[in-house]
Amino acid sequence: MKHKNSQIFQAIKLKHMGFTPTQISEELRVSRTTINHWLTKAEMKGVKWEDIRENSADELVKLLFGHREVNNWLRVPNWLAVATKMTEPGQTLKQCHQDYLSSIPQGSGLPYSSFCEGYRKFVKENPSKTKSLIIHQAYQPGQALLIDYSGDGLTVLEKADGQEIKEVKKQLFVACMGFSGYVVAVLTPRQTRKDWLYAIDKSFEVLGKVPEEIVLDNSTSLVLKADKFDAELCKELKEFCDHYEVSAHAVAPGRPTFKAGVERSVGIIQQEIKKRLLHLPPLTAQGAEVLLDEVCKDINSRKLSELYETSREERFRMELAYMHKLPAIRYSTGKIIGRFKVSKEDQVRIKGLRYNVEYGNAGEYTDVVFFEKDNEFAFFLHKSGREIGRSKCRRHVDGHEPSDPNKVAPEIRYLAEGRDELIKDLGTRYGQNVEEMCRKIAKKNNSNSVTHLRGIFSYGQKAKDNAFEVMDRTARLLLSQPELPTFQQFRNTFERLARDQGLELIGRSTKKRISAATQLEFEEISNVRGAAHYAKQGAARAKAIKDTK
């Protein structure tokens, strides 16, 4: 900083009064090294307080240092240039001080503490040159989500096409709630329109609810024409906002401070990431996502300041009550082609072709979305919006989609398996003897081998907890006989062993013959033809014959 000539005068006076250099330093707020330099110079020149008490401070400086003034010792920074540089994104006083020292001769620069004090003094004394108009932004709970991309990004390790690992720079998307300051970070490959919409959708998923509006800058991916009052948004963003019942607002061009909350959050997240990366090896994409989750969780759990005893997370819980729920079906870039009913075979029929969906949704209605880029259908339950299947679009030449055992429930998966899969599955469940028995029953000349193997499966399910023991005994008995076993022999042997153990085969179907004298009562069935129907029909026929005669 600029040392005034009067400070040298005061230093010699205080020395005469008995103050130590340390006390003088604290009193004048000048470094002790500088105080010692002044006092040493006065001692070398033989200057005493009695001789100079009537002189002015300027005369004292000339007496000690000649015609050179104290201000000429140090190169004073151009504070206006420093203040202008501090408006650049990511710029700090520490960096400005280093640039200042590198531009002047060594030993003629201010120390960092003096540099900071001089800068603050300049800013305080020249508000018109260093400060622009500031608008205090106050958002209501649940009102706005501020979004932006970080300029730095995050470098991760990924495998290339040739399985070669290389460094790839991912883009860092940051979202911040206007009221609570709750932050969310998402990694995307680039900053295309699709990446923006994916990141916003992911932010809604993390938040669990949807705010009233989205505040963004004038990114060319989302804003077609920037305007101070009414920017023109792209069609995809409008459709996205209509789907989630949220409005979007782009700030005035060149005014990123109008969404200062997210700008500040971007800086905080970048600093936290840099600190943690110093102690971590190169990250994979999955490791980078884990790091972001930890950083956001740490930031959201901190106390905001000494004035606020709450954290971002606590304030966010308060504004959750003012946000509306996510829709049942999430936003997608595909086109909804219609609503279809799931058949009892857990399939959906589209243009004459059947597509498989997840087991257990027969009778439900599903919304089918077609993704033209991937040439595939996605199936979403109409009530809950849960995805229950995704299949490639098929042609009539390809036929129906083949059965996928992974989409069938475990208890009936055997109905979708082939001969070899059934034999292997039965062996896994009931042991090697059963597998060998099944292999002999499903011999090559057995055209109903798959049906017989499924029947063996169903018998195992009917026996429930005792299935393994009965199945193993049945297999050993059939394998001990000289001829090849048949399914009829398996069925008779299995039922006999089950009866000997007192087991009741749950679910076994039985046929019952209805006697002629049995009286049946039908309710709300209009097409049942009973005795009255035939009597009436016979009377009508007899009348018709009589009339013809």
Side-chain angles (χ1 to χ4, degrees):
M1 74 180 185
K2 297 180 180 180
H3 298 295
K4 296 182 179 179
N5 297 340
S6 59
Q7 289 180 314
I8 303 178
F9 189 85
Q10 292 293 331
I12 297 177
K13 179 181 178 181
L14 293 173
K15 176 64 176 176
H16 175 73
M17 296 172 63
F19 284 75
T20 63
T22 301
Q23 293 173 335
I24 298 174
S25 173
E26 294 174 355
E27 183 70 24
L28 300 180
R29 295 185 180 180
V30 179
S31 67
R32 193 173 61 178
T33 303
T34 305
I35 297 295
N36 287 330
H37 176 69
W38 292 344
L39 298 179
T40 303
K41 198 72 174 177
E43 186 177 354
M44 291 174 58
K45 294 287 186 177
V47 175
K48 297 181 180 180
W49 172 248
E50 292 82 0
D51 301 330
I52 59 144
R53 63 188 307 170
E54 300 297 335
N55 298 344
S56 64
D58 294 337
E59 292 174 348
L60 173 61
V61 171
K62 291 181 181 180
L63 179 63
L64 293 179
F65 305 103
H67 294 285
R68 186 182 67 175
E69 298 211 357
V70 178
N71 293 338
N72 292 333
W73 302 348
L74 305 173
R75 299 292 181 90
V76 181
N78 183 349
W79 296 119
L80 182 59
V82 174
T84 304
K85 197 170 185 178
M86 281 295 294
T87 60
E88 298 178 1
Q91 193 63 246
T92 62
L93 269 178
K94 190 72 174 179
Q95 294 174 349
C96 292
H97 180 248
Q98 292 175 354
D99 295 341
Y100 154 69
L101 293 179
S102 62
S103 63
I104 60 176
Q106 187 176 2
S108 61
L110 295 175
Y112 180 63
S113 59
S114 301
F115 182 86
C116 294
E117 188 174 348
Y119 172 75
R120 294 190 188 98
K121 183 178 179 181
F122 177 81
V123 170
K124 186 176 181 180
E125 293 177 353
N126 301 273
S128 60
K129 297 180 180 179
T130 58
K131 293 183 180 180
S132 58
L133 181 63
I134 297 176
I135 302 176
H136 178 68
Q137 296 174 336
Y139 293 102
Q140 297 297 322
Q143 178 184 355
L145 179 70
L146 318 178
I147 61 173
D148 197 9
Y149 265 98
S150 166
D152 292 351
L154 189 59
T155 302
V156 300
L157 298 178
E158 280 190 354
K159 283 187 178 181
D161 297 336
Q163 301 300 320
E164 180 183 355
I165 299 177
K166 63 177 183 179
E167 291 187 348
V168 178
K169 187 174 182 181
K170 296 284 189 179
Q171 301 299 317
L172 179 59
F173 173 88
V174 178
C176 170
M177 289 300 298
F179 173 76
S180 62
Y182 190 88
V183 295
V184 177
V186 180
L187 280 180
T188 61
R190 294 177 295 170
Q191 294 187 25
T192 62
R193 185 172 299 172
K194 184 177 179 180
D195 294 321
W196 274 94
L197 297 180
Y198 165 78
I200 301 172
D201 177 71
K202 189 68 175 178
S203 301
F204 288 167
E205 180 183 350
V206 175
L207 296 175
K209 286 192 174 182
V210 182
E212 295 179 8
E213 64 175 335
I214 303 171
V215 181
L216 64 152
D217 57 10
N218 289 273
S219 168
T220 54
S221 300
L222 299 180
V223 180
L224 301 179
K225 183 179 179 181
D227 187 79
K228 185 176 181 181
F229 302 103
D230 188 16
E232 183 181 354
L233 306 178
C234 67
K235 178 183 175 182
E236 289 80 0
L237 180 58
K238 292 179 180 178
E239 293 177 351
F240 180 90
C241 294
D242 291 341
H243 182 81
Y244 283 107
E245 298 181 358
V246 62
S247 61
H249 169 66
V251 299
R255 297 291 184 182
T257 53
F258 284 10
K259 52 180 182 62
V262 69
E263 297 286 344
R264 184 168 57 253
S265 299
V266 167
I268 296 173
I269 290 179
Q270 287 177 345
Q271 291 178 4
E272 289 294 325
I273 290 176
K274 288 179 181 178
K275 289 179 184 177
R276 295 171 188 248
L277 288 179
L278 293 176
H279 310 286
L280 293 174
L283 297 174
T284 61
Q286 185 177 2
E289 292 179 357
V290 173
L291 174 64
L292 283 181
D293 291 342
E294 292 177 353
V295 168
C296 292
K297 186 176 181 180
D298 183 39
I299 294 173
N300 292 328
S301 60
R302 296 178 190 168
K303 299 297 181 184
L304 287 171
S305 66
E306 295 181 358
L307 298 177
Y308 296 95
E309 292 298 327
T310 58
S311 63
R312 290 178 172 85
E313 186 174 4
E314 292 170 345
R315 289 171 63 88
F316 175 67
R317 290 175 191 164
M318 295 167 51
E319 63 178 338
L320 271 175
Y322 299 91
M323 302 166 67
H324 60 269
K325 294 181 179 180
L326 286 164
I329 299 179
R330 303 289 297 279
Y331 174 81
S332 64
T333 55
K335 179 181 179 182
I336 298 179
I337 63 172
R339 186 175 301 160
F340 300 85
K341 188 175 183 180
V342 181
S343 67
K344 61 181 180 180
E345 292 85 11
D346 292 296
Q347 292 179 326
V348 175
R349 193 180 187 92
I350 304 175
K351 295 183 178 179
L353 295 175
R354 293 192 293 267
Y355 295 87
N356 299 319
V357 296
E358 186 180 297
Y359 166 77
N361 295 291
E364 298 286 344
Y365 283 92
T366 173
D367 293 320
V368 181
V369 179
F370 176 64
F371 295 92
E372 184 176 0
K373 182 179 179 181
D374 301 324
N375 192 33
E376 65 180 13
F377 293 115
F379 305 95
F380 300 90
L381 286 178
H382 177 67
K383 290 183 179 180
S384 62
R386 184 173 63 86
E387 183 175 342
I388 59 173
R390 193 174 286 255
S391 303
K392 287 290 183 181
C393 181
R394 302 179 67 82
R395 301 172 299 173
H396 283 277
V397 179
D398 303 328
H400 305 298
E401 184 179 10
S403 300
D404 184 3
N406 296 323
K407 292 184 178 179
V408 182
E411 59 270 16
I412 64 168
R413 188 167 294 172
Y414 67 93
L415 297 175
E417 293 179 339
R419 174 184 176 276
D420 295 334
E421 294 172 334
L422 287 167
I423 293 174
K424 185 177 179 180
D425 199 354
L426 283 165
T428 303
R429 288 170 177 253
Y430 304 115
Q432 187 176 358
N433 292 331
V434 175
E435 183 176 354
E436 182 64 24
M437 177 194 68
C438 293
R439 201 176 300 279
K440 290 186 177 182
I441 291 176
K443 50 187 179 292
K444 291 184 178 180
N445 59 350
N446 184 2
S447 59
N448 293 323
S449 59
V450 174
T451 304
H452 290 165
L453 291 173
R454 291 176 180 172
I456 295 173
F457 244 113
S458 65
Y459 270 96
Q461 289 183 342
K462 292 172 184 177
K464 290 196 173 182
D465 297 338
N466 300 295
F468 184 88
E469 181 183 353
V470 179
M471 193 76 73
D472 184 64
R473 289 184 61 190
T474 304
R476 283 190 279 110
L477 286 173
L478 294 179
L479 291 175
S480 63
Q481 63 185 15
E483 67 274 7
L484 289 175
T486 63
F487 176 71
Q488 288 76 11
Q489 292 176 344
F490 164 80
R491 181 179 59 191
N492 297 332
T493 305
F494 189 91
E495 290 180 355
R496 177 171 55 83
L497 293 175
R499 283 196 303 270
D500 293 343
Q501 292 188 8
L503 298 179
E504 182 182 356
L505 298 181
I506 305 300
R508 182 181 177 186
S509 60
T510 57
K511 295 183 179 179
K512 293 184 180 180
R513 187 180 300 274
I514 301 177
S515 62
T518 304
Q519 296 295 325
L520 301 178
E521 294 183 2
F522 298 92
E523 296 181 2
E524 297 182 4
I525 299 179
S526 59
N527 61 348
V528 175
R529 296 182 177 184
H533 168 78
Y534 291 106
K536 184 178 180 181
Q537 191 178 36
R541 188 180 297 110
K543 183 180 179 183
I545 294 173
K546 184 178 179 181
D547 292 340
T548 56
K549 291 181 179 181

